[in-house]
Amino acid sequence: LPPNVGATFTYLFALIPIGFIGIGSTSPGIIAAAIVGARSTKEDDETRRERICRHEAGHFLCGYMCGLPVKEYSISPDTGVACVEFHTSSTSVAGRELSDDEIAALSVVAMSGSVAEIMEYGKAKGGENDLLELQNCFAKSKEFIGAAKQQDLT
């Protein structure tokens, strides 16, 4: 081996964290996709579709049981999976503050999709958007909802 091979490899290995930080700060989605790709188990399309259908059915059933009126029900042309959206109440006005009862009902609906997945598959893979929507509901509350009360609602 040539005498500078060790030094060359040392410098190349030292550049890996710098490249990781550079890519992560400019385009974190690339690193996230690489991590997900390395960690995930491959599900076939039918299992994935079934999981999403079960998730959305959980939302629909709990929203119906909580008395929330359906705002929109649509089927995605890409995946063929149903998606349901609810009004917060029968007198829903955009941008208004939500009552404690509405927050409680929306909390149940937001968590129900993940619960439906867990009941069938033992693990929820979806639900990130549901948690963001739940956080938005907490922010629209008439009174401040602290961490302890948020935990009680979910």
Side-chain angles (χ1 to χ4, degrees):
L1 290 173
N4 288 335
V5 170
T8 303
F9 281 120
T10 301
Y11 284 119
L12 288 176
F13 287 128
L15 290 175
I16 291 173
I18 294 169
F20 186 81
I21 292 171
I23 293 170
S25 64
T26 57
S27 183
I30 294 172
I31 292 176
I35 291 170
V36 168
R39 294 176 68 193
S40 70
T41 58
K42 299 295 180 195
E43 278 187 324
D44 63 346
D45 287 338
E46 187 60 33
T47 305
R48 182 178 170 278
R49 187 172 179 275
E50 177 66 28
R51 180 183 290 272
I52 294 170
C53 285
R54 184 169 299 275
H55 181 100
E56 293 302 324
H59 288 308
F60 190 86
L61 177 63
C62 286
Y64 174 77
M65 296 302 291
C66 288
L68 294 174
V70 175
K71 180 179 183 180
E72 181 181 1
Y73 182 83
S74 62
I75 297 177
S76 170
D78 300 333
T79 60
V81 174
C83 181
V84 64
E85 191 175 338
F86 295 98
H87 287 288
T88 53
S89 70
S90 58
T91 59
S92 184
V93 177
R96 72 174 179 84
E97 294 178 331
L98 301 174
S99 69
D100 288 344
D101 290 338
E102 291 169 333
I103 295 287
L106 290 170
S107 297
V108 169
V109 172
M111 299 304 295
S112 63
S114 295
V115 170
E117 280 187 60
I118 291 170
M119 287 175 64
E120 178 66 22
Y121 299 102
K123 181 179 175 183
K125 290 190 177 181
E128 295 85 9
N129 290 337
D130 299 335
L131 295 176
L132 291 173
E133 191 63 34
L134 180 61
Q135 192 64 38
N136 289 338
C137 289
F138 289 153
K140 293 178 186 176
S141 175
K142 287 182 181 177
E143 59 186 57
F144 175 74
I145 299 177
K149 190 170 179 184
Q150 286 182 16
Q151 186 69 29
D152 290 341
L153 285 169
T154 57

